[in-house]
Amino acid sequence: MRLILSALLLTVPALLPATGADKPKPVAMFDGKTFDGWEGDTAKTWKIEDGVIIGGSLDAVVPRNEFLCTKKTYGDFELRVTFKLLGEKNKNAGVQFRTKRVPNHHEVSGYQADAGQGYWGALYDESRRNKVLAKPDPKVLEALVKDDDWNEYVIRCEGPRIKLTLNGTVTVDYTEEDATVERSGIIGLQIHGGAKAKVFYKDITIEELPAKK
């Protein structure tokens, strides 16, 4: 009997749910010094200063959309990005996810957590359906957006569901109904063309989640 009880006790830990210490932890995606793991126009558009990724210019109009993208693809995850957007009134930027590069082109195709006048907190479909898929009430944004200051996006993807949280407030809770839309892809940091604008990205972390149907 003692032998049986001992064997059962040895198997109990394997049956118990994972504790906080066992769960996956957020991983830094940017080392603060190099573009390791990223690709894009690092000759003209993107640079690193004081541990921050910077894109665009306040001295000249950004000629076109540019994206600094991960070399790795991700499916279900929770991504955190702190960012600041400066420039003219029509400045714009955003964070791409479940995205892919358009072959032989500077554009990408996929979801974007948008940032900029009229687009803060919105989910945009870049170079695919080319429209806003979901957006918050403008009244919610009035006291939420920090103009010319640091803001934080939390982007959570689980199966068809996408949740955007801007500065601690959920702005989009969207479920993709089109089963043909891919649920994995690269992550990209955007500076939008057409304005004198500069964007800063830092504290970029990701926690990969078990895939959901």
Side-chain angles (χ1 to χ4, degrees):
M1 178 64 73
R2 288 182 180 178
L3 289 173
I4 294 173
L5 287 173
S6 297
L8 287 172
L9 288 171
L10 287 172
T11 62
V12 166
L15 299 175
L16 293 174
T19 64
D22 299 324
K23 291 181 179 179
K25 294 181 179 179
V27 174
M29 300 179 71
F30 169 53
D31 63 16
K33 299 177 181 179
T34 71
F35 287 114
D36 285 354
W38 298 82
E39 58 83 19
D41 179 20
T42 56
K44 296 180 180 179
T45 303
W46 301 100
K47 60 183 178 179
I48 299 170
E49 289 183 0
D50 300 322
V52 178
I53 295 173
I54 303 173
S57 171
L58 296 178
D59 299 320
V61 172
V62 179
R64 65 186 192 184
N65 293 352
E66 290 287 354
F67 303 86
L68 182 71
C69 297
T70 60
K71 295 178 181 178
K72 181 180 176 180
T73 61
Y74 299 88
D76 287 12
F77 59 84
E78 182 171 284
L79 173 71
R80 291 177 179 268
V81 184
T82 301
F83 66 99
K84 178 168 58 176
L85 181 59
L86 306 178
E88 297 177 333
K89 190 175 181 180
N90 59 335
K91 60 185 179 290
N92 184 270
V95 180
Q96 293 287 143
F97 56 97
R98 289 184 172 179
T99 287
K100 62 182 179 182
R101 284 278 188 188
V102 176
N104 304 313
H105 204 279
H106 65 276
E107 267 291 351
V108 300
S109 173
Y111 297 114
Q112 182 185 126
D114 218 326
Q117 186 184 31
Y119 292 94
W120 284 99
L123 178 64
Y124 187 76
D125 201 21
E126 179 85 15
S127 295
R128 187 166 52 191
R129 286 167 284 194
N130 295 307
K131 67 177 183 179
V132 173
L133 301 175
K135 63 181 180 179
D137 186 326
K139 293 181 180 179
V140 172
L141 297 175
E142 289 178 1
L144 190 61
V145 175
K146 301 175 184 178
D147 288 315
D148 300 334
D149 203 350
W150 292 104
N151 296 268
E152 183 194 51
Y153 255 133
V154 179
I155 302 166
R156 190 175 181 91
C157 296
E158 292 183 280
R161 188 178 181 188
I162 296 170
K163 185 183 289 187
L164 304 185
T165 302
L166 179 63
N167 295 332
T169 297
V170 176
T171 58
V172 165
D173 192 343
Y174 172 81
T175 299
E176 180 60 68
E177 296 181 353
D178 186 345
T180 66
V181 173
E182 294 182 29
R183 294 184 185 175
S184 66
I186 56 175
I187 289 166
L189 310 177
Q190 186 211 45
I191 179 66
H192 200 285
K196 293 180 180 179
K198 202 170 188 178
V199 67
F200 304 73
Y201 294 101
K202 66 176 184 177
D203 301 333
I204 309 168
T205 64
I206 195 165
E207 178 184 344
E208 294 189 71
L209 306 172
K212 273 196 172 183
K213 294 183 179 181

